[in-house]
Amino acid sequence: MVVVAHDRYFLDKVVSRTIEMAFARIEEYPGNYTKYLRLREERMERRLREYETQQAHIAHTEEFIRRYKAGQRSREARGRQKLLNRLERVERPQDFPEMHFEFTPVVDSGLVVVSTQKLVAGYIDGKQRTELVRVADLELLRGDCVGLLGPNGSGKTTLLRTIIGELPPLSGQVHLGHNVRIGYYSQTHAGLNAERSIIDEIRQVSVLSEEGVRTFLGRFLFSGDDVFKPIGTLSGGERSRVALAKLTLQGSNFLILDEPTNHLDLPSRQFLEEVLAEFEGTLLFVSHDRYFIDRLATKVWVIEDGVLIPYMGNYTEYRTRKQALVLDVPSSIKNDSKAEPAAVKSASTAVKSNARKNAKVKVRTLEDVEAEIEEAEERVKSVEEALADAALNADAALLTQLTPDYEQARAHVDELLTEWERLSLLSAHAKDETANEST
């Protein structure tokens, strides 16, 4: 099997050899993508040392020849010149060019960046109304980094366009917080004018001179006459870099990115991750790149069967929790071909089945979990106070003892919050079923 892919997660799982094509040559590395990165860095460092060592030898030899070519040691100088002429030169190792930019908010937003109320996102085509995603009442807070996941066609882009105001909600409301400045990256590069040149496109959002724009575009790997190319003639990767260049000039504190890694090569993806990891604003993004999501997301919003469900943590943590929920469903439910496909309905059925099978086992209610959350948060607060006292007294031994307790207490709160979210969805679904039955 020979695979060409930019999906690093996939490459790490599948490949056993990695072949790099760059600078008109092919080089092979054993192992998967992560191992390739390490081996390539070691190879580049070794080649650079070899090149610099040879350059130092050449410079020393040329200085000897220049000094003694007309003196008593001229014969030796001529001999060294012949050796130098026959020397096989080591090429300076070439490395991938890197972009150099950052996202800098010009002003901080308020604490609440976005809030929704009974939001339904979709579109209207003539008289046809199509609902794609329902959103529970949510708040996106300053500093959050949220990855929006879901299958193709589930409404991810529609939801983003609804949040930025390009599409009206089918019902419900979206509220932007105080001082929120949105920077939107469209996966189709809809904000670019295909008729303009690269330099003219940037000057639409900048007061830089032509020379200033050329210098600026150099940070996005555009050099020389490249800056005069029409947008319509650019490759997907080049358009992505132009869109990112425009985005950096907006001073946004809330970045909404729809598939920002599409068309970018692997080094550019890694650089974009590093830049976004340093971003001091709020981030909401759609991506199918699991490495990208794991690196950045502190929360994931997942569209499942037309409902947006929030989860704490990155992609890997989300998958772990989902797998735990699937494994918790009784086998009779898993094997039931008539079971409803919706994730929420499946989990709801499982709870009801468990209750019927074992009446002695009490099903945990929202109130039970809320009470435990309150106790767990009090425990966290108590440990925080103890840590603060230990820090104030410079008690290193106590700090070392309390730190694992604090991490364990925080983890317990997170687990309870995840359970509360699941039970909330089940409760809402049960109410809807009751209402439907009564109707």
Side-chain angles (χ1 to χ4, degrees):
M1 180 169 63
V2 179
V3 178
V4 177
H6 280 157
D7 188 329
R8 294 162 288 179
Y9 190 94
F10 176 78
L11 291 173
D12 267 355
K13 292 284 187 182
V14 172
V15 306
S16 57
R17 294 164 57 200
T18 302
I19 297 174
E20 176 191 275
M21 298 176 60
F23 311 114
R25 66 175 58 181
I26 286 177
E27 298 200 36
E28 183 179 357
Y29 297 84
N32 61 14
Y33 179 76
T34 298
K35 187 175 181 181
Y36 148 76
L37 285 180
R38 178 174 58 80
L39 294 177
R40 186 182 189 279
E41 183 178 2
E42 293 172 358
R43 187 177 294 183
M44 290 294 292
E45 289 175 354
R46 184 177 67 253
R47 287 177 177 173
L48 185 58
R49 285 195 303 270
E50 291 171 354
Y51 170 78
E52 291 174 344
T53 299
Q54 188 183 72
Q55 288 300 301
H57 168 70
I58 291 171
H60 177 74
T61 304
E62 288 176 340
E63 175 60 22
F64 180 90
I65 294 168
R66 184 190 63 78
R67 180 178 300 177
Y68 296 112
K69 65 181 178 181
Q72 293 180 348
R73 303 178 69 178
S74 60
R75 185 175 179 179
E76 184 180 352
R78 287 194 299 272
R80 292 199 181 193
Q81 182 65 65
K82 289 180 182 178
L83 290 173
L84 196 60
N85 292 341
R86 291 199 296 265
L87 180 67
E88 185 177 346
R89 304 296 175 104
V90 175
E91 293 182 9
R92 183 181 184 88
Q94 291 178 281
D95 207 351
F96 299 117
E98 289 188 349
M99 295 187 287
H100 296 281
F101 65 88
E102 61 184 9
F103 295 106
T104 306
V106 296
V107 65
D108 289 337
S109 69
L111 177 61
V112 178
V113 177
V114 174
S115 60
T116 65
Q117 292 180 334
K118 299 180 180 179
L119 176 64
V120 178
Y123 59 89
I124 299 175
D125 185 6
K127 294 183 179 180
Q128 182 69 31
R129 170 189 164 109
T130 303
E131 293 184 4
L132 291 177
V133 55
R134 291 180 170 269
V135 183
D137 294 355
L138 287 176
E139 285 187 342
L140 186 63
L141 303 182
R142 183 178 63 234
D144 281 346
C145 294
V146 178
L148 178 58
L149 311 180
N152 291 336
S154 60
K156 300 185 296 294
T157 297
T158 300
L159 177 59
L160 296 186
R161 294 178 64 197
T162 302
I163 290 173
I164 67 175
E166 278 191 4
L167 293 175
L170 296 185
S171 64
Q173 295 178 321
V174 177
H175 299 287
L176 295 180
H178 178 64
N179 272 346
V180 172
R181 295 185 57 159
I182 292 177
Y184 178 57
Y185 177 99
S186 167
Q187 67 169 313
T188 60
H189 306 135
L192 302 181
N193 187 327
E195 304 300 321
R196 294 196 188 111
S197 66
I198 298 174
I199 195 168
D200 288 338
E201 186 71 16
I202 296 301
R203 295 186 76 175
Q204 296 297 312
V205 293
S206 170
V207 294
L208 293 171
S209 64
E210 179 175 317
E211 187 61 32
V213 173
R214 295 183 69 144
T215 301
F216 171 74
L217 285 171
R219 294 156 56 186
F220 294 85
L221 310 184
F222 294 107
S223 59
D225 291 338
D226 287 348
V227 300
F228 299 111
K229 287 182 179 179
I231 299 292
T233 66
L234 301 181
S235 67
E238 289 171 327
R239 291 190 189 193
S240 296
R241 285 186 272 130
V242 175
L244 289 171
K246 287 185 68 176
L247 199 59
T248 64
L249 293 169
Q250 296 178 18
S252 307
N253 53 33
F254 180 27
L255 294 179
I256 300 180
L257 312 178
D258 192 358
E259 296 284 5
T261 57
N262 274 5
H263 309 296
L264 293 180
D265 57 25
L266 290 175
S268 296
R269 290 183 181 210
Q270 289 161 356
F271 178 77
L272 181 59
E273 286 172 11
E274 293 168 8
V275 170
L276 292 174
E278 297 296 324
F279 178 56
E280 295 182 352
T282 306
L283 182 61
L284 173 60
F285 65 92
V286 172
S287 180
H288 286 124
D289 187 328
R290 292 163 284 188
Y291 258 64
F292 189 82
I293 301 168
D294 267 354
R295 173 77 186 275
L296 297 174
T298 56
K299 301 176 182 178
V300 291
W301 291 353
V302 186
I303 299 176
E304 299 178 352
D305 301 308
V307 178
L308 188 145
I309 304 174
Y311 295 88
M312 295 295 295
N314 60 19
Y315 175 80
T316 298
E317 292 165 334
Y318 153 70
R319 292 296 303 168
T320 301
R321 287 172 181 165
K322 284 291 292 181
Q323 185 66 22
L325 283 174
V326 170
L327 293 174
D328 193 46
V329 176
S331 57
S332 61
I333 299 299
K334 292 180 188 176
N335 298 329
D336 185 1
S337 60
K338 297 181 181 179
E340 295 176 271
V344 173
K345 292 182 179 181
S346 178
S348 176
T349 307
V351 171
K352 292 175 183 177
S353 176
N354 279 336
R356 286 196 300 269
K357 285 183 177 181
N358 192 352
K360 295 180 182 179
V361 177
K362 182 184 176 182
V363 177
R364 285 163 62 81
T365 66
L366 276 173
E367 290 75 15
D368 295 334
V369 178
E370 285 169 354
E372 282 194 38
I373 289 173
E374 188 173 343
E375 292 177 5
E377 287 178 337
E378 284 296 323
R379 168 64 179 161
V380 170
K381 184 178 178 182
S382 173
V383 178
E384 282 177 344
E385 291 173 353
L387 279 168
D389 291 340
L392 196 62
N393 297 324
D395 189 338
L398 186 56
L399 282 170
T400 303
Q401 178 185 338
L402 289 173
T403 298
D405 293 345
Y406 176 73
E407 292 174 351
Q408 185 177 354
R410 286 296 312 165
H412 185 48
V413 171
D414 290 341
E415 290 172 1
L416 290 171
L417 288 172
T418 301
E419 183 181 2
W420 183 88
E421 289 170 358
R422 184 171 63 87
L423 289 174
S424 295
L425 289 169
L426 295 176
S427 176
H429 178 67
K431 289 178 181 177
D432 289 344
E433 282 188 337
T434 303
N436 291 336
E437 289 172 0
S438 62
T439 303

